[in-house]
Amino acid sequence: MFQRYSHRRRVGAALAAVMVVGFGATEAIADRALTPVPFKDGFESGDTAAFPRKGIDGTGVVDVRAAPGGRGGKAVRFAMPDDGKSYRTEIATARVPYGSYRYTFANYLPSDWLRYDAQTIVSQWHGGSGTYPAVVLAVKGDRWMMVVHWKTGSEKADESKKPAHEVKYDLGPVRLGHWNQWSFDITWSTATATTGSITARLNGAEVGSHRGPNSYHQDTAPYHKIGLYRPNWQASKGHKAGGTPAVVNYYDDVTITAISPGAAVPPPATPSANASATSAPDLPGSSASPSAQASASAPAAGPVTSGSTPDAADGIPMDTGTDKDTDNDAKPLAETGASSRTPIILAIGSALLAAGLLLFLRGRARVARLLAGDRRR
């Protein structure tokens, strides 16, 4: 009888453990789906392992090396040759739930950057396959540009059905050989509940803002890509090797932080970090005159163009699904802002939890009956 009793106790303990594990897993799944985890990487590890996605079309190179321009530590370097095959060299973070986030990063365009009058995308927030990037930071000529794409709640994400809406903002002149400290406060719009907003700051000064829809209202908010993307360099668009030097862009200190809408303005970059870059005179080939650079911190006056469809001349790219792990083609977002798969996962976890609890209680009842029978004997 004692052996049977011990066996029952072991079974009961095992069932209790299953119940605890099931409860913990359910909570973990819910937290992972609903609670954003801050992201931070300064590349001091010497690699880009913190970024789970990479998209290289052609022979571009992504590596980590000493930061240029008087900045200490390491930075990630993106280099893309004009070889007739290369047009994208990017890495990207994981997706996040819908909400409000502050995306901060520093980037550096070398002083030998050659002017290019179509867009060179250096940062983008992408909603997934079959869509234009929801938000773009690009260099066009000698200006910083922000481009926003969206669909309304009743429109399908598929661009083949109806192109996205688009608006462009001029964020001011580009300075070469200079570290740019960016901050984007983004509240991602949803189909019905959230309007959406974007506030862009450069070196602590507001340079552009957008109020209104800014996403495709899919199952999760857009994820963040950094690097280089010249869509007009695609061979399919007739581009051939030009023999010009490789395009190079550096990034450092990339962060994502959950914020409340209207959160306090981040402090400007400390002068000491870029002292040698900002105090030195601009080298030949700089994309902006000194007078234009002096006005770089002035807020942009507003959108420079607004239309119902993306500008074909700029070659804004659609995501073709060729990135590693970049699909985001689930059904539209539920009003809660959570992934559309979350309720199913939680239901399964709750069912397992209930089953474990029931088995545990039944085991305890059997043990109690056995003990009662022993006492009567």
Side-chain angles (χ1 to χ4, degrees), residues 151-157 162 165 190-192 216-217 332:
K151 289 291 187 94
T152 64
S154 62
E155 295 171 335
K156 300 295 184 182
K162 183 180 178 181
H165 303 280
T190 59
T192 58
Y216 293 84
H217 313 135

Side-chain angles (χ1 to χ4, degrees), residues 27-347:
E27 281 197 328
I29 291 170
D31 287 344
R32 187 165 60 249
L34 299 174
T35 304
V37 177
F39 175 91
K40 182 176 182 179
D41 190 20
F43 305 102
E44 297 309 309
S45 65
D47 58 41
T48 61
F51 293 78
R53 304 158 184 243
K54 177 184 291 186
I56 296 179
D57 290 282
T59 59
V61 175
V62 180
D63 61 359
V64 176
R65 56 180 63 189
R71 190 182 187 92
K74 298 176 182 178
V76 61
R77 176 180 178 269
F78 300 88
M80 192 168 65
D82 185 9
D83 58 7
K85 298 180 293 183
S86 303
Y87 61 92
R88 176 173 58 168
T89 303
E90 296 177 303
I91 57 177
T93 65
R95 295 185 288 176
V96 296
Y98 278 82
S100 297
Y101 299 90
R102 175 165 292 158
Y103 301 84
T104 65
F105 51 87
N107 89 304
Y108 177 94
L109 304 180
S111 58
D112 58 0
W113 175 281
L114 296 179
R115 179 186 174 107
Y116 184 69
D117 287 331
Q119 290 199 67
T120 302
I121 297 173
V122 298
S123 197
Q124 59 173 302
W125 290 261
H126 219 302
S129 297
T131 62
Y132 296 103
V135 182
V136 164
L137 174 64
V139 179
K140 184 175 183 181
D142 59 3
R143 310 292 291 182
W144 289 111
M145 302 294 295
M146 179 173 74
V147 186
V148 183
H149 298 113
W150 71 90
K151 289 291 187 94
T152 64
S154 62
E155 295 171 335
K156 300 295 184 182
D158 186 356
E159 299 293 349
S160 65
K161 304 299 183 184
K162 183 180 178 181
H165 303 280
E166 177 186 85
V167 64
K168 298 179 182 179
Y169 298 87
D170 185 344
L171 304 187
V174 173
R175 291 185 66 183
L176 303 179
H178 172 84
W179 278 97
N180 307 285
Q181 182 63 48
W182 292 98
S183 172
F184 285 80
D185 286 2
I186 302 179
T187 296
W188 293 110
S189 63
T190 59
T192 58
T194 306
T195 301
S197 65
I198 305 170
T199 300
R201 299 182 179 93
L202 175 57
N203 298 325
E206 183 175 326
V207 291
S209 65
H210 170 85
R211 296 294 180 271
N214 57 17
S215 79
Y216 293 84
H217 313 135
Q218 293 173 292
D219 66 327
T220 57
Y223 56 89
H224 189 195
K225 292 184 179 184
I226 62 174
L228 290 165
Y229 199 153
R230 280 192 172 173
N232 283 353
W233 271 15
Q234 297 180 59
S236 61
K237 295 188 176 184
H239 180 75
K240 298 180 180 180
T244 60
V247 185
V248 175
N249 182 25
Y250 289 85
Y251 259 82
D252 198 9
D253 294 333
V254 180
T255 71
I256 304 174
T257 307
I259 60 172
S260 299
V265 176
T270 56
S272 59
N274 301 323
S276 64
T278 57
S279 60
D282 293 305
L283 299 175
S286 176
S287 63
S289 65
S291 60
Q293 292 170 5
S295 65
S297 61
V304 292
T305 60
S306 179
S308 61
T309 59
D311 186 353
D314 283 329
I316 293 288
M318 279 196 301
D319 192 309
T320 59
T322 55
D323 282 5
K324 296 179 180 178
D325 188 29
T326 55
D327 287 342
N328 186 10
D329 53 3
K331 294 179 180 180
L333 175 75
E335 291 186 10
T336 60
S339 168
S340 59
R341 292 181 292 273
T342 299
I344 298 174
I345 296 173
L346 292 179

